[in-house]
Amino acid sequence: MTDPSAIQPSELDQLPDRDPEETAEWQASLDAVTKAAGPHRAAYLMRRTLERAEGSGLALPKLLETDYVNTIPTAAEPAIEGDEALELKIAAWNRWNAAAMVTRGSKYGVGGHIATFASAAWLYETGFNHFFKGKEGDGSGDQLYIQGHASPGIYARAFLDGRLSEQQLDHFRQESGGDGLPSYPHPRRLPWLWEFPTVSMGLGPLSAIYQARFNRYLTNRKIKDVSASHVWAFLGDGEMDEPEATAALALASREGLDNLTFVINCNLQRLDGPVRANFRVVQELEAQFRGAGWNVIKTLWGSAWDELFQLDTTGALVRRLREVPDAQFQTYATRDAAYIREHFFGSEPALVELGRLLTDDKIAECFKVSRGGHEPRKVYAAYRAALSHAGAPTVILVQTVKGFTLGKGFESKNANHQMKKLTVDEFKDMRDLLELPISDSQFVDGQVPYGHPGPDSPEVRYLQERRAALGGPAPARRTHAIAPLPAPAAKAFASFDKGSGSQSVATTMAFVRLVKDLVRDKETGKRWVPIVPDEARTFGMESLFPSLGIYSPKGQTYEPVDRDQLMYYKEATDGQILNEGITEAGSMADFIAAASAYSTHGEAMIPFYIFYSMFGWQRTADQMWQLGDQLGRGFLVGATAGRTTLTGEGLQHADGHSPVIAATNPAALSYDPAFAYEIGAIVKDGLRRMYGEAAPGEDRDVFYYLTVYNEPMPQPAKPAGVDEGILKGLYRFNTAESAGVNVAAANAPRIQLLGSGTAIHWTLEAQKLLAEEWGVAADVWSATSWTELRRDALEADEAILRGEERTPYIRTALDGAQGPVLAVSDYMRQVPDQIAQWVEQDYSSLGADGFGLSDTREAARRHFGIDAQSIVVAALAQLARRGEVEASAVKEARERYGL
């Protein structure tokens, strides 16, 4: 018996032992088994005991890893409800055409990936034949996140189904002519087929989780019952290294998203080599997902392994599988039986004996081709088990061979991700392996032919019958005939048209007030989806908590600490606000799901996501591209914007460049409004364009980015006739004369000051100083969007190339404006400089270039040279260069203002 003093302390030692003698007996039993049967047997018994305890519902920590074997025993696999022989033929045609398409395109140098789909073919085929619900049945169908590198296989199936032609396959990655197919799932490029963009890697799994969560949100809020929809995310084991891929695992389990299944293709290879050369990625992923609360199904071994496991009476085989690193296992797949006998079975006597019972052919079959992911019955069993599991999401870890069926030159080779074609001889070997009726004579001039059994063949009829039974083709994207949403009452947008009087209001607060009015609208209010990453109180949104509620599938199971306050923290199953915690990436995934609900579910939702502007585009610009690719609609709001308006926070909070990043996204309409009434005009027009009656030729599949500020400032009344300028990006806010500044001389020098966002206020102050202290007349313009001005000008340039005459709006707006132009913003000069080449007047700019810093607003603006006094000096310098003021005035001004 083990000395009790030798037992290591644990958490249980902190609890009183009701029966120390009974505890000692259990420990003694373990010691006895270890001594009599060995440590392996003792460990086996302990694992099985813990599994039984877990299955019985006992409150014990879960096992994070199970043995390196299939979760579902062969005896428990259900029969496939279908024609397995026909499904085998369908998969063979799709394998062939996927490889043929990429190989034929290689002569144009466009590239492509063959090996990924070759390994994952049955993961998709089984789903398409039996599980994936289409969009022509009841509800919204399933949502499929296809692994990007597997796209050739999806195109091949659409070709077999009659949805794509040979000509289209021959234009894989050649889109400019109009008939081409995009390289990866890109809804913007092929909007009838692809629903979700899944490259860049890592964004697919993150988005799939939040899509499943948003489905529950729609159901719980009674917008639409989509409880029958299931989200499937097909991923690669290498892809799981991306931080986004596993960032929201806990959310999925915490909210019990059993409408979600991850299928991870564990072919043990990433682009350059093994995923975990010295480790075991399957076991690592199992521990990660089980630890996060997911249901884990491992489908690792094909039926050829059944005999080996039955012969493994000592557990030596299972132990050996658990210890062999992935890179070594890949090596086994490329070596002969003698090598495997020596290096795998030769590790201990029990395995040597096991190896002697196996023929070389049996060893080769097991170690080279027999993987769970290559047998439809095993994949079918895993999918059935995933759909029947309740209360938690499921991950299926499927082991495959990368490049399976492509021949010895591809299978399990480190370089196969970059290998773009097969030779004619390799195709002939593949043809023979797949038993396809393709003759040698069909290889004309050394080019591999496409294969098709004919539109009336048993294979095609079966495929179409299966899809009809499941609700139509898949994947497929639908743009539903949704009636335009009615415009909210005009008074909501006009609330700031009269100005704020003596009250100072930050534009962040103005936007929040506008939203508070819009969510009360009887027709469209319920369709707003407020999204915020744990900063609602920073943005003054806490007043929305009790009125709209914060979404939680569990409701509110506690009494909030601030329950006796007016603006208490209220959670509800039908809550409208998505308060995501500290995760910009998760919030963006929310936004994407809501922004594309008009297509995914036929329900127009109006998301607005408000965030620290510094931590939006800078952190999640890749997701903004994903949003644009997915044709999402809604409002992104960069709050506490600008490099100098967020006092004291310093470098990492000082946004001087988000409009630059936003300008790179063709789907983003970027605005930097100065006044509350501008926000109202922009949001009103955005609702019309994205959700209402868009003008002919106007792209509805856009999203808006508004920068708003936390600095309280007086909000002026809306001048007459400025709506067009607000939306196009520029209008004259006032002239020196209309501003009432005192300019001494009637023929005073004149300058045009263009200001955006909060910079308009320093510009107005500079207007006054220029007039009263230097005798210069300045007109002030509000530049609501430098980016939209530039895009309009670029379109004018393109029109000229087509032989059309068109004048850029910026040139028309400034036509006749006297003097030079000085543009000012709270961002780096690159932002206002976007329009420089189209301004006919002398043009100069001021901005906050460089890193941010912690200080008062006044000191920060003086540091960057964008305060009112700096604007005055810059204006005088510009006029002095033109000879319109004395050069000495510039020096005098610098000295007077201490610059």
Side-chain angles (χ1 to χ4, degrees):
M1 181 175 176
T2 302
D3 182 357
S5 64
I7 300 174
Q8 296 298 313
S10 70
E11 294 86 348
L12 293 176
D13 291 334
Q14 309 303 316
L15 302 176
D17 191 341
R18 296 187 309 176
D19 192 339
E21 185 176 349
E22 181 184 32
T23 303
E25 290 174 356
W26 277 80
Q27 294 169 339
S29 297
L30 177 62
D31 294 339
V33 171
T34 303
K35 183 177 180 180
H40 297 309
R41 179 61 180 171
Y44 176 86
L45 292 175
M46 287 299 298
R47 291 174 69 86
R48 292 296 173 264
T49 302
L50 287 172
E51 287 173 359
R52 172 61 63 86
E54 181 179 327
S56 302
L58 294 180
L60 289 174
K62 292 184 177 181
L63 284 171
L64 295 185
E65 289 185 33
T66 59
D67 286 331
Y68 204 65
V69 297
N70 293 346
T71 302
I72 302 172
T74 301
E77 293 169 5
I80 294 178
E81 299 174 357
D83 191 323
E84 293 185 60
L86 276 179
E87 291 179 15
L88 186 65
K89 291 181 180 179
I90 290 169
W93 285 117
N94 292 338
R95 286 180 181 279
W96 177 272
N97 288 321
M101 174 175 56
V102 177
T103 297
R104 287 165 69 109
S106 65
K107 67 181 180 180
Y108 302 108
V110 296
H113 301 285
I114 302 177
T116 294
F117 178 73
S119 70
W122 278 116
L123 307 185
Y124 294 104
E125 294 296 327
T126 304
F128 286 130
N129 289 331
H130 300 284
F131 295 97
F132 304 156
K133 294 188 287 293
K135 298 182 178 301
E136 295 176 0
D138 296 334
S140 301
D142 287 352
Q143 289 81 57
L144 309 180
Y145 288 77
I146 305 294
Q147 191 179 3
H149 292 147
S151 61
I154 309 305
Y155 290 140
R157 197 171 212 275
F159 169 65
L160 197 66
D161 195 12
R163 293 198 290 163
L164 289 175
S165 66
E166 281 194 20
Q167 181 182 7
Q168 287 173 297
L169 295 191
D170 263 347
H171 284 81
F172 174 61
R173 291 192 170 193
Q174 299 173 67
E175 299 180 72
S176 60
D179 291 327
L181 301 178
S183 53
Y184 302 128
H186 290 302
R188 186 169 286 275
R189 290 295 183 218
L190 201 62
W192 61 268
L193 179 71
W194 296 121
E195 193 168 18
F196 305 105
T198 50
V199 178
S200 298
M201 289 189 178
L203 299 189
L206 178 68
S207 293
I209 290 173
Y210 280 88
Q211 181 66 56
R213 194 280 197 92
F214 191 74
N215 290 357
R216 291 279 172 86
Y217 172 89
L218 287 177
T219 300
N220 287 339
R221 289 196 55 219
K222 297 180 174 56
I223 301 291
K224 182 179 181 179
D225 184 355
V226 294
S227 55
S229 291
H230 198 84
V231 178
W232 300 82
F234 290 84
L235 317 167
D237 48 1
E239 179 179 7
M240 302 310 293
D241 283 346
E242 288 285 0
E244 296 89 349
T246 55
L249 298 186
L251 167 72
S253 62
R254 185 168 63 245
E255 299 203 0
L257 297 181
D258 50 18
N259 60 338
L260 170 68
T261 297
F262 276 16
V263 181
I264 302 181
N265 179 17
C266 298
N267 55 37
L268 313 185
Q269 288 182 248
R270 53 188 177 201
L271 275 63
D272 289 333
V275 178
R276 292 290 182 272
N278 296 296
F279 306 93
R280 290 157 298 281
V281 70
V282 170
Q283 300 299 88
E284 177 183 316
L285 289 172
E286 178 184 29
Q288 192 169 16
F289 278 87
R290 285 174 68 90
W294 287 53
N295 174 45
V296 179
I297 298 172
K298 293 197 290 193
T299 303
L300 308 179
W301 308 111
S303 55
W305 283 82
D306 290 346
E307 179 183 347
L308 273 69
F309 289 125
Q310 289 173 0
L311 294 171
D312 181 30
T313 57
T314 66
L317 175 63
V318 173
R319 292 196 300 275
R320 181 65 174 146
L321 289 174
R322 201 162 55 231
E323 68 188 18
V324 174
D326 286 351
Q328 184 61 48
F329 202 85
Q330 292 295 86
T331 300
Y332 295 146
T334 63
R335 298 299 180 91
D336 59 19
Y339 179 92
I340 298 171
R341 287 184 188 278
E342 177 183 355
H343 292 88
F344 181 84
F345 290 100
S347 62
E348 63 172 283
L351 281 177
V352 172
E353 291 301 315
L354 176 60
R356 287 174 180 164
L357 301 176
L358 306 174
T359 65
D360 285 356
D361 287 344
K362 184 67 173 181
I363 290 176
E365 181 185 11
C366 288
F367 283 82
K368 295 179 185 294
V369 299
S370 187
R371 303 288 187 276
H374 300 322
E375 297 191 12
R377 284 203 174 202
K378 295 192 179 297
V379 177
Y380 183 90
Y383 287 5
R384 278 275 174 243
L387 290 179
S388 64
H389 186 81
T394 293
V395 59
I396 303 173
L397 303 175
V398 187
Q399 191 159 261
T400 66
V401 173
K402 192 166 186 177
F404 183 65
T405 73
L406 297 181
K408 294 180 180 178
F410 269 81
E411 292 178 352
S412 297
K413 296 298 177 64
N414 281 343
N416 62 17
H417 189 81
Q418 277 72 35
M419 297 163 69
K420 312 300 182 186
K421 60 183 179 180
L422 278 70
T423 66
V424 169
D425 287 341
E426 287 171 330
F427 265 110
K428 290 179 179 179
D429 290 342
M430 181 181 177
R431 170 201 62 189
D432 296 340
L433 176 66
L434 298 176
E435 300 180 352
L436 291 172
I438 297 173
S439 65
D440 288 354
S441 62
Q442 291 178 259
F443 290 81
V444 180
D445 297 329
Q447 177 158 276
V448 57
Y450 292 118
H452 199 293
D456 294 324
S457 64
E459 295 97 320
V460 173
R461 288 200 305 270
Y462 179 83
L463 183 156
Q464 294 174 342
E465 288 168 1
R466 294 303 308 146
R467 289 312 316 157
L470 288 165
R477 181 181 180 274
R478 294 287 184 267
T479 300
H480 301 265
I482 303 174
L485 295 183
K491 64 179 181 180
F493 304 105
S495 60
F496 282 101
D497 285 359
K498 293 182 180 180
S500 61
S502 60
Q503 181 185 11
S504 292
V505 178
T507 51
T508 297
M509 293 299 100
F511 178 83
V512 172
R513 288 188 192 180
L514 175 62
V515 169
K516 288 169 65 175
D517 289 338
L518 293 175
V519 295
R520 295 192 187 103
D521 185 85
K522 292 182 180 180
E523 297 291 333
T524 61
K526 68 178 182 179
R527 298 192 174 274
W528 282 87
V529 183
I531 303 168
V532 59
D534 199 35
E535 290 280 2
R537 297 184 190 278
T538 300
F539 308 135
M541 292 175 57
E542 64 270 30
S543 61
L544 298 177
F545 288 170
S547 58
L548 300 184
I550 300 165
Y551 172 74
S552 170
K554 290 186 177 294
Q556 194 154 37
T557 61
Y558 60 92
E559 183 177 359
V561 67
D562 53 359
R563 183 62 181 86
D564 57 343
Q565 298 179 15
L566 181 62
M567 294 182 287
Y568 69 97
Y569 195 84
K570 177 186 175 184
E571 295 187 84
T573 55
D574 61 349
Q576 193 164 351
I577 300 169
L578 293 172
N579 192 331
E580 289 304 350
I582 305 174
T583 169
E584 281 83 6
S587 298
M588 266 307 302
D590 264 338
F591 187 89
I592 292 169
S596 54
Y598 73 92
S599 172
T600 309
H601 296 300
E603 295 289 343
M605 304 300 289
I606 312 172
F608 82 86
Y609 164 35
I610 188 167
F611 50 87
Y612 265 103
S613 66
M614 185 66 171
F615 301 137
W617 286 88
Q618 176 165 304
R619 285 191 176 179
T620 58
D622 200 13
Q623 287 178 284
M624 274 74 163
W625 277 100
Q626 180 189 8
L627 167 65
D629 194 355
Q630 201 165 316
L631 289 78
R633 306 168 184 172
F635 297 94
L636 297 175
V637 184
T640 60
R643 184 146 276 167
T644 69
T645 62
L646 188 58
T647 56
E649 294 284 359
L651 187 151
Q652 288 201 353
H653 286 66
D655 173 20
H657 55 276
S658 70
V660 177
I661 307 176
T664 66
N665 192 312
L669 277 62
S670 177
Y671 285 90
D672 186 25
F675 304 122
Y677 66 78
E678 293 176 351
I679 293 173
I682 294 165
V683 172
K684 180 180 180 181
D685 193 67
L687 290 173
R688 175 201 61 79
R689 178 171 178 172
M690 295 185 291
Y691 301 97
E693 298 286 356
E698 201 171 31
D699 187 3
R700 294 166 61 89
D701 298 322
V702 296
F703 60 92
Y704 284 65
Y705 175 54
L706 281 71
T707 47
V708 294
Y709 300 85
N710 70 322
E711 183 176 7
M713 300 296 290
Q715 297 297 326
K718 181 179 180 180
V722 299
D723 283 310
E724 180 186 24
I726 291 173
L727 301 177
K728 287 185 174 293
L730 182 71
Y731 68 94
R732 181 154 44 198
F733 176 71
N734 68 19
T735 63
E737 291 76 15
S738 65
V741 296
N742 183 17
V743 181
N747 60 346
R750 185 172 289 269
I751 189 169
Q752 308 299 317
L753 302 179
L754 280 56
S756 69
T758 193
I760 198 85
H761 299 285
W762 330 321
T763 307
L764 289 169
E765 186 179 349
Q767 178 189 47
K768 183 177 180 181
L769 291 173
L770 282 166
E772 295 179 352
E773 299 186 14
W774 305 99
V776 173
D779 300 336
V780 173
W781 300 69
S782 179
T784 54
S785 179
W786 309 101
T787 301
E788 289 306 297
L789 291 171
R790 175 179 174 80
R791 288 177 177 169
D792 172 82
L794 289 172
E795 290 173 5
D797 287 354
E798 292 171 4
I800 292 173
L801 293 176
R802 297 192 300 267
E804 304 171 13
E805 288 296 328
R806 181 177 162 189
T807 303
Y809 174 80
I810 180 63
R811 194 166 292 166
T812 300
L814 291 173
D815 184 38
Q818 298 176 27
V821 171
L822 176 60
V824 187
S825 87
D826 202 23
Y827 298 93
M828 56 196 304
R829 288 175 62 183
Q830 187 175 339
V831 176
D833 283 352
Q834 291 181 86
I835 65 170
Q837 72 185 80
W838 292 280
V839 176
E840 293 183 315
Q841 293 89 340
D842 291 341
Y843 186 88
S844 185
S845 65
L846 295 176
D849 284 80
F851 289 109
L853 75 165
S854 298
D855 215 313
T856 64
R857 293 183 177 117
E858 293 75 15
R861 287 162 191 164
R862 175 57 58 91
H863 169 81
F864 288 112
I866 53 176
D867 60 351
Q869 291 77 17
S870 299
I871 295 172
V872 170
V873 172
L876 293 174
Q878 204 168 354
L879 290 168
R881 287 193 296 270
R882 296 163 55 90
E884 296 181 27
V885 300
E886 296 294 333
S888 60
V890 181
K891 179 182 179 183
E892 182 184 347
R894 281 201 301 266
E895 293 174 349
R896 180 182 302 182
Y897 301 135
L899 295 177

